[in-house]
């Protein structure tokens, strides 16, 4: 097995009670040291990721500001709600609101989100604009616009999936977990994959390494994605916003003609103050592919007057 990555900044862990769940929060620095001009940076990870995966970006940053990266419910080391059989978007918003109350009750934060986390933070920033000083969305494109006539079939699919046990493949060794990470992310070096694997999976009583994600996340969401409602929220964002994407990302590979790039560009155009950055040599997992370039882009944005 390859030697593990040596982190530059120490990662600490904190447990926070959030809406009846024990939330696991990854911390770098002291949140008490934040100021209105340099507030806490709160990073919300994407689907099937964990907060600890921010480590490589944290280490690349020059500014040792306080940073918190929670694991969403049912991911990483945060609990899933008892008897959870599906996950609801509104629960992520409720969790985020409670996390801000716990981590920065009296001060606006700099809020960042990747992929699913990017979608959540954008919606949250429209509902609670006063809580955000700066907003960063990394590849949180949203979803194709849905139509009302899709609702019955979506519900039928969800009902069928409730009867189907969901499973995430376990691995015999931690080295196999690291190998999967590198297969999914070819630019992820072996030492970083080895370090991340220990945060992304755990060994259980059966002797195998299990990915830290509730298999119930794999079930379809029974609620349709309502583009018009999302866009109305984006219109109400007041924080200066940074949009970051990789130059190798092509959303049409995920959704085809159901979600053309022009549709996303029109959505982003309603945000009143948005800066766009494209990272060279990067796909969807920006924080794995180009951690230094991402760190530089974030710091330039956060430090701008």
């Amino acid at each position: 097995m390859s030697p593990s990555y040596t982190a530059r900044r120490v990662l600490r862990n904190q447990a926070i009670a959030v809406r009846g769940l024990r939330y696991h929060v990854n911390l770098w620095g002291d949140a008490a040291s934040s100021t209105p001009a340099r507030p806490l940076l709160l990073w919300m990870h994407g689907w099937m990721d964990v907060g600890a995966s921010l480590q490589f970006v944290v280490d690349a940053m020059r500014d040792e500001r306080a940073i918190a990266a929670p694991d969403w419910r049912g991911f990483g080391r945060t609990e899933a709600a008892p008897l959870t059989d599906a996950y609801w978007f509104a629960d992520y918003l409720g969790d985020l609101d409670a996390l801000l109350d716990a981590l920065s009750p009296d001060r606006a934060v700099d809020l960042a989100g990747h992929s699913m986390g990017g979608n959540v933070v954008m919606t949250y920033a429209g509902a609670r604009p006063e809580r955000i000083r700066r907003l960063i969305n990394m590849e949180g494109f949203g979803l194709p616009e849905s139509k009302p006539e899709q609702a019955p079939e979506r519900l039928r699919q969800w009902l069928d999936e409730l009867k189907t046990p969901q499973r995430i493949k376990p691995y015999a060794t931690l080295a196999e977990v690291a190998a999967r990470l590198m297969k999914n992310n070819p630019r992820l070096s072996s030492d970083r994959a080895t370090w991340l694997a220990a945060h992304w999976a755990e060994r259980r009583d059966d002797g195998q390494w299990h990915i830290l994600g509730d298999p119930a996340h794999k079930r379809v969401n029974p609620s349709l994605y309502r583009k018009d409602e999302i866009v109305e929220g984006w219109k109400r964002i007041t924080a200066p916003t940074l949009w970051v994407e990789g130059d190798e990302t092509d959303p049409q590979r995920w959704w085809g003609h159901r979600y053309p790039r022009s549709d996303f560009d029109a959505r982003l155009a309603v945000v009143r103050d948005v800066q766009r950055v494209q990272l060279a040599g990067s796909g969807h997992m920006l924080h794995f592919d180009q951690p230094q370039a991402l760190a530089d882009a974030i710091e330039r944005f956060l430090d701008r007057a």
Side-chain angles (χ1 to χ4, degrees), residues 93 102 150 172 211 222 272-273 284 292:
L93 295 170
Q150 294 175 263
I211 304 304
R272 65 185 69 181
D273 181 1
H284 184 60
Q292 185 65 63

Side-chain angles (χ1 to χ4, degrees), residues 53-64:
S53 68
L54 182 59
Q55 181 74 57
F56 313 131
V57 177
V58 171
D59 285 344
M61 295 176 77
R62 300 182 307 277
D63 183 358
E64 297 203 354

Side-chain angles (χ1 to χ4, degrees), residues 48 166-172 176-177 180 183 200-201 208-212 215 218:
M48 290 308 299
Q166 301 297 310
R167 183 176 181 271
I168 297 176
K169 175 187 173 182
Y171 294 85
E176 290 184 9
V177 177
R180 173 184 168 176
K183 180 179 179 180
W200 205 57
Q208 294 188 300
W209 288 84
H210 292 258
I211 304 304
L212 291 171
K218 298 174 68 174

Side-chain angles (χ1 to χ4, degrees), residues 42-45 111-115 117-119 121 136-140:
L42 184 61
W43 168 291
M44 308 307 300
H45 69 78
L111 182 60
H114 172 251
S115 193
N119 296 329
V121 302
I136 303 170
N137 181 0
M138 293 158 285
E139 299 232 346

Side-chain angles (χ1 to χ4, degrees), residues 19-99:
R19 304 179 62 227
L21 298 178
R22 183 177 180 273
Y23 247 77
H24 176 260
V25 182
N26 304 277
L27 296 167
W28 296 268
D30 183 4
S33 67
S34 63
T35 67
R38 294 176 70 256
L40 176 71
L41 172 60
L42 184 61
W43 168 291
M44 308 307 300
H45 69 78
W47 191 80
M48 290 308 299
D49 200 358
V50 294
S53 68
L54 182 59
Q55 181 74 57
F56 313 131
V57 177
V58 171
D59 285 344
M61 295 176 77
R62 300 182 307 277
D63 183 358
E64 297 203 354
R65 69 171 64 230
I67 301 172
D71 297 336
W72 285 119
R73 60 170 55 208
F75 285 120
R77 302 193 184 280
T78 291
E79 295 176 325
L83 303 178
T84 296
D85 54 22
Y87 285 81
W88 302 83
F89 190 79
D91 276 325
Y92 297 125
L93 295 170
D95 291 355
L96 179 55
D97 199 47
L99 284 164

